[in-house]
Amino acid sequence: MQDRPRLGYRYDDLSVGMRFRSPGRTITDADLVGFSGLTGDYSELHTSDVYAQSSQFGRRVAHGMLGLAYAHGLMWARTGELRETAVAFLGIDGWRFVGPVFVGDTIFVDYELAELRDSRSRPTQAIATFEVKVVNQDGTLVQQGRKALLVSKVPLDAVAASTTAPAAN
């Protein structure tokens, strides 16, 4: 992991091999209930203690997509590490749901900048690809894959606009 994590890496600060770790996020019963309502996925494995106790897991399991969504939020949005350069999330490749995430588990995201290449269509932008591992509080791998992010090589007007105080009237 980075020895000195910081906010606001710019494009020139990025290099292949940089590693990061997100803050943790504990999965709660409210998360499962809320995610079920949001997605319409009321599978008994997520919503019924009786059903889940008789499953191979022995208890309710968080939705795989809930883990993926929280992992995404824990990375760039929560850490702010790429606030100065992130433009858009481009996609996921080879994502795997390796193990269950249970209510009460705390997940962390370990991610490494695996590839950084110029955009073919936008000369002021680049594509940053990250190897991502979601682990629980015991260090057990629960999800993994690659995520691609469009980044800017030049300062973003949106960052400047959101940090500049409005002119006094």
Side-chain angles (χ1 to χ4, degrees), residues 65-138:
M65 292 303 291
L66 180 146
L68 173 58
Y70 282 5
H72 188 75
L74 285 170
M75 290 174 68
W76 309 302
R78 177 139 175 224
T79 65
E81 290 161 339
L82 296 180
R83 182 175 189 272
E84 299 289 323
T85 187
V87 175
F89 175 56
L90 296 176
I92 299 172
D93 186 37
W95 198 262
R96 300 281 185 248
F97 301 94
V98 179
V101 175
F102 298 107
V103 172
D105 280 353
T106 299
I107 60 171
F108 300 87
V109 186
D110 295 330
Y111 49 111
E112 180 175 343
L113 183 53
E115 182 182 347
L116 186 61
R117 68 166 181 81
D118 291 338
S119 168
R120 292 182 188 101
S121 60
R122 299 173 184 257
T124 62
Q125 296 178 340
I127 311 295
T129 303
F130 294 84
E131 289 288 341
V132 180
K133 293 182 178 179
V134 182
V135 298
N136 68 16
Q137 68 281 350
D138 299 322

Side-chain angles (χ1 to χ4, degrees), residues 32 36 39-49 51-52 60-61 63:
L32 270 65
S36 292
T39 63
D41 181 352
Y42 290 97
S43 168
E44 291 176 284
L45 186 59
H46 312 304
T47 61
S48 169
D49 287 329
Y51 179 94
R60 285 184 300 136
V61 176
H63 305 73

